Coordinates of all heavy atoms in Angstrom, one line a residue:
M1 N 0.8 -1.2 0.0 CA 0.0 0.0 0.0 C 0.9 1.2 0.0 O 1.7 1.4 0.9 CB -0.9 0.0 1.3 CG -1.9 1.1 1.3 SD -2.8 1.0 2.8 CE -4.3 1.8 2.3
K2 N 0.7 2.1 -1.0 CA 1.5 3.3 -1.1 C 0.7 4.5 -0.6 O -0.4 4.7 -0.9 CB 2.0 3.5 -2.5 CG 3.0 2.5 -2.9 CD 3.8 2.8 -4.1 CE 4.9 1.8 -4.3 NZ 5.6 2.1 -5.6
V3 N 1.4 5.3 0.1 CA 0.8 6.5 0.7 C 1.7 7.7 0.2 O 2.9 7.7 0.3 CB 0.9 6.5 2.3 CG1 0.2 7.6 2.9 CG2 0.4 5.2 2.8
P4 N 1.0 8.8 -0.2 CA 1.7 10.0 -0.7 C 2.5 10.7 0.5 O 2.0 10.6 1.6 CB 0.7 10.9 -1.3 CG -0.6 10.4 -0.7 CD -0.5 8.9 -0.5
A5 N 3.6 11.3 0.2 CA 4.4 11.9 1.2 C 3.8 13.2 1.8 O 4.2 13.7 2.8 CB 5.8 12.2 0.7
E6 N 2.9 13.8 1.0 CA 2.2 15.0 1.5 C 0.7 14.8 1.2 O 0.3 14.5 0.1 CB 2.7 16.2 0.8 CG 3.3 17.2 1.7 CD 3.8 18.5 0.9 OE1 3.1 18.8 -0.1 OE2 4.8 19.0 1.3
I7 N -0.2 15.1 2.2 CA -1.6 15.0 1.9 C -2.3 16.3 2.5 O -1.7 16.9 3.4 CB -2.3 13.8 2.5 CG1 -2.0 13.6 4.0 CG2 -1.9 12.5 1.7 CD1 -2.9 12.4 4.6
R8 N -3.4 16.6 1.9 CA -4.2 17.7 2.4 C -5.4 17.2 3.1 O -6.2 16.5 2.6 CB -4.6 18.5 1.2 CG -5.0 20.0 1.5 CD -5.4 20.7 0.3 NE -6.4 21.6 0.5 CZ -6.3 22.8 1.2 NH1 -5.2 23.1 1.7 NH2 -7.4 23.5 1.5
T9 N -5.4 17.4 4.5 CA -6.5 16.9 5.3 C -6.8 17.8 6.5 O -6.1 18.8 6.6 CB -6.1 15.5 5.8 OG1 -7.2 14.9 6.4 CG2 -5.0 15.5 6.7
H10 N -7.8 17.4 7.2 CA -8.2 18.3 8.3 C -7.2 18.3 9.5 O -6.7 17.2 9.9 CB -9.6 17.8 8.9 CG -10.1 18.6 10.0 ND1 -10.0 18.1 11.3 CD2 -10.7 19.8 10.0 CE1 -10.6 19.1 12.1 NE2 -11.0 20.1 11.3
C11 N -6.9 19.5 10.0 CA -6.0 19.6 11.2 C -6.9 20.0 12.3 O -7.6 21.0 12.3 CB -5.0 20.7 10.9 SG -4.0 21.0 12.4
P12 N -6.9 19.2 13.4 CA -7.8 19.5 14.6 C -7.4 20.7 15.3 O -8.2 21.3 16.1 CB -7.7 18.2 15.4 CG -6.5 17.5 15.0 CD -6.3 17.9 13.6
Y13 N -6.1 21.1 15.2 CA -5.6 22.3 15.9 C -6.0 23.6 15.2 O -6.4 24.6 15.7 CB -4.1 22.2 16.1 CG -3.8 21.0 16.9 CD1 -3.3 19.8 16.2 CD2 -3.9 20.9 18.2 CE1 -3.0 18.7 16.9 CE2 -3.6 19.7 18.9 CZ -3.1 18.6 18.2 OH -2.9 17.5 18.9
C14 N -5.8 23.6 13.8 CA -6.1 24.7 13.0 C -7.6 24.8 12.7 O -8.2 25.8 12.3 CB -5.4 24.7 11.7 SG -3.6 24.6 11.8
N15 N -8.3 23.6 12.9 CA -9.7 23.4 12.5 C -10.0 23.8 11.1 O -10.9 24.5 10.7 CB -10.6 24.2 13.5 CG -12.0 23.6 13.5 OD1 -12.2 22.5 13.1 ND2 -13.0 24.4 13.9
A16 N -9.1 23.3 10.2 CA -9.2 23.6 8.7 C -8.4 22.6 8.0 O -7.6 21.8 8.5 CB -8.7 25.0 8.4
H17 N -8.6 22.5 6.7 CA -7.9 21.6 5.8 C -6.5 22.3 5.5 O -6.5 23.4 5.0 CB -8.6 21.4 4.5 CG -9.4 20.1 4.6 ND1 -10.4 19.9 5.5 CD2 -9.3 19.0 3.9 CE1 -10.9 18.7 5.3 NE2 -10.3 18.1 4.3
T18 N -5.4 21.6 5.8 CA -4.1 22.1 5.5 C -3.3 21.0 5.0 O -3.6 19.8 5.0 CB -3.4 22.6 6.8 OG1 -3.5 21.6 7.8 CG2 -4.1 23.9 7.3
T19 N -2.1 21.3 4.4 CA -1.2 20.3 3.9 C -0.4 19.7 5.1 O 0.0 20.4 6.0 CB -0.2 20.8 2.8 OG1 0.4 22.0 3.3 CG2 -0.9 21.1 1.5
H20 N -0.3 18.4 5.0 CA 0.5 17.7 6.1 C 1.6 16.8 5.5 O 1.4 16.2 4.5 CB -0.5 16.7 6.8 CG -1.5 17.4 7.7 ND1 -2.6 18.0 7.2 CD2 -1.6 17.5 9.0 CE1 -3.3 18.5 8.2 NE2 -2.7 18.2 9.3
K21 N 2.7 16.7 6.3 CA 3.8 15.8 5.9 C 3.4 14.5 6.5 O 3.0 14.4 7.7 CB 5.1 16.3 6.5 CG 5.8 17.2 5.5 CD 7.3 17.4 6.0 CE 8.0 18.3 5.0 NZ 9.2 18.8 5.5
V22 N 3.7 13.4 5.8 CA 3.3 12.1 6.2 C 4.5 11.2 6.6 O 5.5 11.2 5.9 CB 2.5 11.3 5.1 CG1 2.1 9.9 5.5 CG2 1.3 12.1 4.7
K23 N 4.4 10.6 7.8 CA 5.5 9.7 8.2 C 4.7 8.4 8.8 O 3.6 8.6 9.3 CB 6.3 10.3 9.3 CG 7.6 10.8 8.9 CD 8.4 11.3 10.1 CE 9.8 11.4 9.9 NZ 10.6 11.8 11.1
L24 N 5.4 7.3 8.8 CA 4.8 6.1 9.4 C 5.0 6.3 10.9 O 6.1 6.6 11.4 CB 5.5 4.8 9.0 CG 5.3 4.5 7.5 CD1 6.1 3.2 7.1 CD2 3.9 4.3 7.1
A25 N 3.9 6.1 11.7 CA 4.0 6.3 13.1 C 4.7 5.0 13.7 O 4.3 3.9 13.4 CB 2.7 6.5 13.7
S26 N 5.6 5.2 14.6 CA 6.2 4.1 15.3 C 5.5 3.7 16.6 O 4.8 4.6 17.1 CB 7.7 4.4 15.6 OG 7.8 5.3 16.6
K27 N 5.7 2.5 17.1 CA 5.0 2.1 18.3 C 5.5 2.8 19.5 O 4.8 2.9 20.5 CB 5.2 0.6 18.4 CG 3.9 -0.2 18.3 CD 4.2 -1.7 18.5 CE 2.9 -2.4 18.8 NZ 3.2 -3.8 19.0
G28 N 6.7 3.2 19.5 CA 7.3 3.8 20.7 C 7.9 2.8 21.6 O 7.7 1.6 21.4
P29 N 8.7 3.2 22.6 CA 9.3 2.2 23.5 C 8.3 1.5 24.4 O 7.3 2.1 24.7 CB 10.3 3.1 24.3 CG 9.7 4.4 24.3 CD 9.0 4.6 23.0
R30 N 8.6 0.3 24.8 CA 7.7 -0.4 25.7 C 7.8 0.1 27.1 O 8.9 0.2 27.6 CB 8.0 -1.9 25.6 CG 6.9 -2.8 26.1 CD 6.9 -4.1 25.5 NE 5.7 -4.8 26.0 CZ 5.6 -6.1 26.0 NH1 6.6 -6.9 25.6 NH2 4.5 -6.7 26.4
R31 N 6.7 0.4 27.7 CA 6.8 0.9 29.1 C 6.7 -0.2 30.1 O 5.6 -0.7 30.5 CB 5.6 1.9 29.3 CG 5.7 3.1 28.4 CD 4.5 3.9 28.4 NE 4.1 4.3 29.8 CZ 2.8 4.3 30.2 NH1 1.9 3.9 29.4 NH2 2.5 4.7 31.4
T32 N 7.9 -0.8 30.4 CA 7.9 -2.0 31.2 C 7.4 -1.8 32.6 O 7.1 -2.8 33.3 CB 9.4 -2.5 31.3 OG1 10.2 -1.5 31.6 CG2 9.8 -3.1 30.0
L33 N 7.3 -0.6 33.2 CA 6.9 -0.4 34.5 C 5.5 0.2 34.6 O 5.0 0.6 35.6 CB 7.8 0.4 35.3 CG 9.1 -0.3 35.8 CD1 10.0 0.7 36.5 CD2 8.8 -1.4 36.7
A34 N 4.8 0.2 33.4 CA 3.4 0.7 33.4 C 2.5 -0.2 34.2 O 2.7 -1.4 34.2 CB 3.0 0.9 32.0
E35 N 1.5 0.3 34.8 CA 0.5 -0.4 35.6 C -0.1 -1.6 34.9 O 0.0 -2.8 35.4 CB -0.6 0.5 36.1 CG -1.7 -0.1 36.9 CD -1.1 -0.7 38.2 OE1 -0.3 -0.1 38.9 OE2 -1.6 -1.8 38.6
G36 N -0.5 -1.4 33.7 CA -1.2 -2.5 32.9 C -0.2 -3.6 32.6 O -0.5 -4.8 32.6
E37 N 1.1 -3.2 32.3 CA 2.1 -4.2 31.9 C 2.5 -5.0 33.1 O 2.7 -6.2 33.0 CB 3.3 -3.4 31.5 CG 4.3 -4.1 30.6 CD 3.9 -4.3 29.2 OE1 3.2 -3.4 28.6 OE2 4.2 -5.3 28.6
L38 N 2.5 -4.4 34.3 CA 2.8 -5.2 35.6 C 1.7 -6.1 35.9 O 1.9 -7.3 36.3 CB 3.0 -4.2 36.7 CG 4.2 -3.3 36.7 CD1 4.3 -2.4 37.9 CD2 5.5 -4.1 36.6
R39 N 0.5 -5.7 35.7 CA -0.7 -6.5 36.0 C -0.7 -7.7 35.1 O -1.0 -8.9 35.5 CB -2.0 -5.7 35.8 CG -3.2 -6.2 36.5 CD -4.4 -5.4 36.2 NE -4.3 -4.0 36.5 CZ -4.5 -3.0 35.7 NH1 -5.0 -3.2 34.5 NH2 -4.4 -1.8 36.1
H40 N -0.4 -7.5 33.8 CA -0.4 -8.6 32.8 C 0.7 -9.6 33.2 O 0.5 -10.8 33.1 CB -0.1 -8.0 31.4 CG 0.0 -8.9 30.3 ND1 -1.2 -9.7 30.0 CD2 1.0 -9.4 29.5 CE1 -0.8 -10.5 29.0 NE2 0.4 -10.3 28.7
A41 N 1.9 -9.1 33.6 CA 3.0 -10.0 34.0 C 2.6 -10.8 35.2 O 2.9 -12.0 35.3 CB 4.2 -9.2 34.3
R42 N 1.9 -10.2 36.2 CA 1.4 -10.9 37.4 C 0.4 -12.0 37.0 O 0.5 -13.1 37.6 CB 0.7 -9.9 38.3 CG 1.1 -10.1 39.8 CD 0.4 -9.0 40.6 NE 0.8 -7.7 40.3 CZ 0.0 -6.6 40.0 NH1 -1.3 -6.8 40.1 NH2 0.5 -5.5 39.8
K43 N -0.4 -11.7 36.0 CA -1.4 -12.7 35.6 C -0.8 -13.9 35.0 O -1.3 -15.0 35.1 CB -2.4 -12.0 34.6 CG -3.8 -12.5 34.7 CD -4.7 -11.7 33.8 CE -6.1 -12.3 33.8 NZ -7.0 -11.7 32.9
L44 N 0.3 -13.7 34.3 CA 1.0 -14.8 33.6 C 1.9 -15.6 34.5 O 2.3 -16.7 34.1 CB 1.8 -14.3 32.4 CG 1.0 -13.6 31.3 CD1 1.9 -13.3 30.1 CD2 -0.2 -14.4 30.8
K45 N 2.2 -15.1 35.7 CA 3.2 -15.7 36.5 C 2.6 -17.1 37.1 O 1.4 -17.2 37.4 CB 3.4 -14.8 37.7 CG 4.8 -14.9 38.2 CD 5.0 -13.8 39.3 CE 6.1 -14.2 40.2 NZ 6.1 -13.4 41.4
G46 N 3.5 -18.0 37.3 CA 3.2 -19.3 38.0 C 2.4 -20.2 37.1 O 2.2 -20.0 35.9
H47 N 1.9 -21.2 37.8 CA 1.0 -22.2 37.1 C -0.4 -21.8 37.2 O -0.7 -20.7 37.5 CB 1.3 -23.6 37.8 CG 2.7 -24.0 37.8 ND1 3.4 -24.3 36.6 CD2 3.6 -24.0 38.8 CE1 4.7 -24.6 36.9 NE2 4.9 -24.3 38.2
G48 N -1.3 -22.8 37.1 CA -2.7 -22.4 37.3 C -3.5 -22.3 36.0 O -4.3 -21.4 35.8
G49 N -3.1 -23.1 35.1 CA -3.9 -23.2 33.9 C -3.6 -22.1 32.9 O -2.8 -21.2 33.1
K50 N -4.1 -22.3 31.7 CA -3.9 -21.4 30.6 C -4.7 -20.1 30.8 O -5.9 -20.2 31.2 CB -4.3 -22.0 29.3 CG -3.1 -22.4 28.4 CD -3.6 -22.9 27.1 CE -2.4 -23.5 26.4 NZ -2.9 -24.1 25.1
R51 N -4.1 -19.0 30.5 CA -4.8 -17.8 30.6 C -4.7 -17.0 29.2 O -3.9 -17.4 28.4 CB -4.3 -16.9 31.7 CG -4.5 -17.5 33.1 CD -4.7 -16.5 34.1 NE -5.0 -17.1 35.4 CZ -4.1 -17.4 36.3 NH1 -2.8 -17.1 36.0 NH2 -4.4 -17.9 37.4
A52 N -5.6 -16.1 29.1 CA -5.7 -15.4 27.8 C -4.3 -15.0 27.2 O -4.1 -15.2 26.0 CB -6.6 -14.2 28.0
G53 N -3.4 -14.4 28.0 CA -2.2 -13.9 27.4 C -1.2 -15.0 27.0 O -0.2 -14.7 26.4
K54 N -1.4 -16.2 27.5 CA -0.5 -17.3 27.3 C -0.6 -17.9 25.9 O 0.4 -18.5 25.4 CB -0.6 -18.4 28.3 CG 0.1 -18.0 29.6 CD 0.2 -19.1 30.5 CE 1.0 -18.8 31.8 NZ 1.0 -19.8 32.8
K55 N -1.8 -17.9 25.3 CA -2.0 -18.5 24.0 C -1.3 -17.7 22.9 O -1.1 -16.5 23.0 CB -3.5 -18.5 23.7 CG -4.3 -19.6 24.4 CD -5.7 -19.7 23.9 CE -6.6 -19.1 24.9 NZ -7.9 -18.8 24.5
D56 N -0.9 -18.4 21.9 CA -0.3 -17.7 20.8 C -1.4 -17.3 19.8 O -2.0 -18.1 19.1 CB 0.7 -18.7 20.0 CG 1.9 -18.9 20.9 OD1 2.4 -18.0 21.5 OD2 2.3 -20.1 21.0
V57 N -1.6 -16.0 19.8 CA -2.7 -15.5 18.9 C -2.0 -15.0 17.7 O -1.1 -14.2 17.7 CB -3.4 -14.4 19.6 CG1 -4.5 -13.8 18.7 CG2 -4.0 -14.8 20.9
V58 N -2.4 -15.6 16.5 CA -1.8 -15.1 15.3 C -2.8 -14.1 14.6 O -3.9 -14.4 14.3 CB -1.6 -16.3 14.3 CG1 -1.0 -15.8 13.0 CG2 -0.7 -17.3 15.0
K59 N -2.3 -12.9 14.5 CA -3.1 -11.9 13.9 C -2.8 -11.8 12.4 O -1.7 -12.0 11.9 CB -2.8 -10.5 14.6 CG -3.3 -10.6 16.0 CD -3.6 -9.2 16.5 CE -4.2 -9.4 17.9 NZ -4.1 -8.2 18.7
Q60 N -3.9 -11.6 11.6 CA -3.8 -11.6 10.2 C -3.3 -10.2 9.6 O -2.7 -10.2 8.6 CB -5.2 -11.9 9.6 CG -5.7 -13.2 9.9 CD -5.0 -14.3 9.1 OE1 -4.9 -14.2 7.9 NE2 -4.6 -15.4 9.8
A61 N -3.6 -9.2 10.3 CA -3.3 -7.9 9.8 C -3.0 -6.9 11.0 O -3.4 -7.2 12.1 CB -4.5 -7.3 9.0
K62 N -2.4 -5.8 10.7 CA -2.0 -4.9 11.7 C -2.8 -3.6 11.5 O -3.1 -3.2 10.4 CB -0.5 -4.6 11.7 CG 0.3 -5.7 12.3 CD 1.7 -5.3 12.4 CE 2.5 -6.3 13.1 NZ 4.0 -6.0 13.1
R63 N -2.9 -2.8 12.6 CA -3.5 -1.5 12.5 C -2.4 -0.5 12.3 O -1.6 -0.3 13.2 CB -4.3 -1.2 13.8 CG -5.6 -1.8 13.9 CD -6.2 -1.5 15.2 NE -6.6 -0.1 15.3 CZ -7.8 0.4 14.9 NH1 -8.6 -0.4 14.4 NH2 -8.1 1.6 15.1
Q64 N -2.3 -0.1 11.1 CA -1.1 0.8 10.8 C -1.6 2.3 10.9 O -2.7 2.6 10.6 CB -0.6 0.6 9.4 CG 0.0 -0.8 9.3 CD 0.7 -1.0 7.9 OE1 1.8 -0.7 7.8 NE2 -0.1 -1.4 7.0
K65 N -0.6 3.1 11.4 CA -0.9 4.5 11.7 C 0.1 5.4 10.9 O 1.2 5.0 10.7 CB -0.8 4.8 13.1 CG -2.0 4.4 13.9 CD -1.8 4.9 15.3 CE -2.7 4.2 16.3 NZ -2.2 4.4 17.7
L66 N -0.4 6.5 10.5 CA 0.4 7.5 9.9 C 0.6 8.7 10.9 O -0.4 9.0 11.6 CB -0.2 8.0 8.6 CG -0.3 7.1 7.5 CD1 -1.0 7.8 6.3 CD2 1.0 6.4 7.1
M67 N 1.8 9.3 11.0 CA 1.9 10.5 11.8 C 1.9 11.7 10.8 O 2.7 11.8 9.9 CB 3.3 10.4 12.5 CG 3.5 11.5 13.4 SD 2.3 11.7 14.8 CE 2.9 10.5 15.9
L68 N 0.9 12.5 11.0 CA 0.8 13.7 10.1 C 1.3 14.9 10.9 O 1.0 15.2 12.0 CB -0.7 13.9 9.8 CG -1.4 12.7 9.1 CD1 -2.8 13.1 8.8 CD2 -0.7 12.3 7.8
T69 N 2.1 15.7 10.2 CA 2.6 17.0 10.7 C 2.0 18.1 9.9 O 2.2 18.2 8.7 CB 4.1 17.0 10.7 OG1 4.6 15.8 11.2 CG2 4.7 18.2 11.5
C70 N 1.3 19.0 10.6 CA 0.6 20.1 9.9 C 1.7 21.1 9.5 O 2.6 21.4 10.3 CB -0.4 20.7 10.8 SG -1.2 22.2 10.2
Q71 N 1.6 21.6 8.3 CA 2.6 22.6 7.8 C 2.3 24.0 8.4 O 3.2 24.8 8.4 CB 2.5 22.6 6.3 CG 2.8 21.3 5.6 CD 4.3 20.9 5.6 OE1 4.9 20.8 6.7 NE2 4.8 20.6 4.4
Q72 N 1.0 24.2 8.8 CA 0.7 25.5 9.3 C 1.1 25.7 10.7 O 1.8 26.7 11.1 CB -0.8 25.7 9.2 CG -1.4 25.7 7.8 CD -1.3 27.1 7.2 OE1 -1.5 28.1 7.8 NE2 -1.0 27.1 5.9
C73 N 0.7 24.8 11.6 CA 1.0 24.9 13.1 C 2.1 24.0 13.6 O 2.5 24.1 14.7 CB -0.3 24.7 13.8 SG -1.0 23.0 13.7
N74 N 2.6 23.1 12.7 CA 3.7 22.2 13.1 C 3.3 21.2 14.1 O 4.1 20.6 14.8 CB 4.9 22.9 13.5 CG 5.9 22.9 12.4 OD1 6.0 22.0 11.6 ND2 6.7 24.0 12.3
K75 N 2.0 21.0 14.4 CA 1.6 20.0 15.4 C 1.3 18.7 14.7 O 1.1 18.6 13.5 CB 0.3 20.5 16.1 CG 0.6 21.6 17.0 CD -0.4 21.8 18.0 CE 0.0 22.9 18.9 NZ -0.9 23.2 20.0
K76 N 1.4 17.6 15.5 CA 1.3 16.3 14.9 C 0.0 15.6 15.4 O -0.5 15.8 16.5 CB 2.4 15.4 15.4 CG 3.8 15.8 14.9 CD 4.8 14.9 15.5 CE 6.2 15.4 15.0 NZ 7.3 14.7 15.8
H77 N -0.6 14.8 14.5 CA -1.7 14.0 14.9 C -1.6 12.7 14.1 O -1.0 12.6 13.1 CB -3.0 14.7 14.8 CG -3.4 15.2 13.5 ND1 -4.3 14.7 12.7 CD2 -2.9 16.3 12.9 CE1 -4.4 15.4 11.6 NE2 -3.6 16.4 11.7
E78 N -2.4 11.7 14.6 CA -2.3 10.4 13.9 C -3.5 10.1 13.0 O -4.5 10.6 13.2 CB -2.2 9.3 15.0 CG -0.8 9.2 15.6 CD -0.8 8.1 16.7 OE1 -1.9 7.7 17.2 OE2 0.3 7.7 17.0
L79 N -3.3 9.2 12.1 CA -4.3 8.8 11.2 C -4.2 7.3 11.0 O -3.1 6.8 10.7 CB -4.2 9.5 9.8 CG -5.2 9.1 8.8 CD1 -6.5 9.7 9.0 CD2 -4.7 9.5 7.4
V80 N -5.3 6.5 11.3 CA -5.3 5.1 11.2 C -5.6 4.7 9.7 O -6.6 5.3 9.2 CB -6.3 4.4 12.1 CG1 -6.3 2.9 11.9 CG2 -5.9 4.7 13.6
L81 N -4.9 3.8 9.1 CA -5.1 3.4 7.7 C -6.1 2.3 7.7 O -5.8 1.2 8.1 CB -3.8 2.9 7.1 CG -2.8 3.9 6.7 CD1 -1.6 3.2 6.1 CD2 -3.4 4.9 5.7
G82 N -7.3 2.6 7.3 CA -8.4 1.6 7.3 C -8.6 1.1 8.7 O -8.3 1.8 9.7
S83 N -9.2 -0.1 8.9 CA -9.2 -0.6 10.3 C -8.0 -1.5 10.5 O -7.3 -1.4 11.4 CB -10.5 -1.3 10.5 OG -10.7 -2.3 9.5
R84 N -7.8 -2.4 9.5 CA -6.6 -3.3 9.6 C -6.2 -3.4 8.1 O -7.0 -3.7 7.2 CB -6.9 -4.6 10.2 CG -7.0 -4.6 11.7 CD -7.4 -5.9 12.2 NE -7.4 -5.8 13.7 CZ -6.4 -6.0 14.5 NH1 -5.3 -6.3 14.0 NH2 -6.5 -5.9 15.8
T85 N -4.9 -3.3 7.9 CA -4.3 -3.5 6.6 C -3.3 -4.6 6.5 O -2.5 -4.8 7.4 CB -3.7 -2.2 6.1 OG1 -2.8 -1.7 7.1 CG2 -4.7 -1.1 5.7
R86 N -3.4 -5.5 5.5 CA -2.5 -6.6 5.4 C -1.2 -6.2 4.8 O -0.2 -6.8 5.1 CB -3.2 -7.7 4.6 CG -4.3 -8.4 5.4 CD -5.1 -9.3 4.6 NE -6.2 -9.7 5.4 CZ -6.5 -11.0 5.6 NH1 -5.7 -12.0 5.2 NH2 -7.5 -11.3 6.4
K87 N -1.2 -5.3 3.8 CA 0.0 -4.9 3.2 C 0.7 -3.8 3.9 O 0.0 -3.0 4.5 CB -0.2 -4.5 1.7 CG -0.6 -5.7 0.9 CD -0.2 -5.5 -0.6 CE -0.3 -6.7 -1.3 NZ -0.7 -6.5 -2.7
K88 N 2.0 -3.9 3.9 CA 2.8 -2.9 4.7 C 2.7 -1.5 3.9 O 2.9 -1.5 2.7 CB 4.2 -3.3 4.8 CG 4.9 -2.5 5.9 CD 6.2 -3.1 6.3 CE 6.6 -2.3 7.5 NZ 8.0 -2.1 7.6
A89 N 2.4 -0.5 4.7 CA 2.3 0.9 4.1 C 3.7 1.4 3.8 O 4.6 1.2 4.6 CB 1.6 1.8 5.0
E90 N 3.9 2.0 2.6 CA 5.2 2.7 2.3 C 4.9 4.1 1.7 O 3.8 4.3 1.1 CB 6.0 1.9 1.4 CG 5.4 1.4 0.2 CD 6.3 0.6 -0.7 OE1 7.4 1.1 -1.1 OE2 6.0 -0.6 -1.0
I91 N 5.8 5.0 2.0 CA 5.5 6.4 1.6 C 6.1 6.5 0.2 O 7.2 6.2 -0.1 CB 6.1 7.4 2.6 CG1 5.3 7.3 3.8 CG2 6.1 8.8 2.0 CD1 5.9 7.9 5.0
K92 N 5.2 7.1 -0.7 CA 5.5 7.3 -2.1 C 6.4 8.5 -2.2 O 6.1 9.5 -1.6 CB 4.3 7.5 -2.9 CG 4.3 6.9 -4.3 CD 3.0 7.0 -5.1 CE 1.8 7.5 -4.4 NZ 0.7 7.6 -5.3
R93 N 7.5 8.4 -3.0 CA 8.4 9.6 -3.1 C 8.1 10.3 -4.4 O 7.8 9.6 -5.4 CB 9.9 9.1 -3.2 CG 10.3 8.5 -1.9 CD 10.7 9.6 -0.8 NE 10.5 9.1 0.5 CZ 10.0 9.8 1.5 NH1 9.6 11.0 1.4 NH2 10.0 9.3 2.7
Ligands
ZN101 ZN1 -2.6 22.8 12.0

């Protein structure tokens, strides 16, 4: 799936249609000490049968996001590509 490097879309900060620079949004670093992450680790600890997190879930597609930077106000916001896309998004030059 090819995505243009620049698109014209709504900016929630300017509240208008402006041109945006497009980048693929990264997941960011894993927050190993976050509350939910600790709770999840606690749940998986020890014996006591299979639990939801232990199963190997194979997902067919990923939710890919684009990071849009507004050219007017220089603020960033995200855009989800479809609901789930099977092909990897790449930016068209
Ligand atoms: Zn803006």
Side-chain angles (χ1 to χ4, degrees):
M1 186 183 206
K2 288 196 174 174
V3 186
E6 237 183 39
I7 55 172
R8 201 176 142 74
T9 186
H10 180 256
C11 171
Y13 304 100
C14 303
N15 200 21
H17 266 62
T18 53
T19 49
H20 288 76
K21 270 193 179 165
V22 179
K23 257 184 162 183
L24 295 178
S26 69
K27 245 183 163 182
R30 196 154 188 203
R31 296 166 59 220
T32 47
L33 284 177
E35 180 59 41
E37 201 77 33
L38 293 178
R39 200 183 302 130
H40 182 64
R42 219 178 299 131
K43 212 173 175 185
L44 297 187
K45 212 176 155 192
H47 305 287
K50 252 187 192 173
R51 295 212 177 93
K54 280 190 176 176
K55 279 186 257 169
D56 292 317
V57 181
V58 180
K59 293 202 173 160
Q60 297 283 313
K62 284 186 176 177
R63 281 175 71 87
Q64 294 189 90
K65 278 184 200 164
L66 297 179
M67 183 61 81
L68 303 178
T69 312
C70 175
Q71 302 284 54
Q72 296 275 325
C73 62
N74 259 330
K75 290 201 176 181
K76 290 175 185 172
H77 57 107
E78 285 179 338
L79 177 77
V80 177
L81 283 179
S83 55
R84 283 178 179 269
T85 46
R86 284 173 190 236
K87 286 207 171 151
K88 201 168 183 214
E90 53 179 301
I91 290 165
K92 217 178 350 180
R93 295 279 156 220

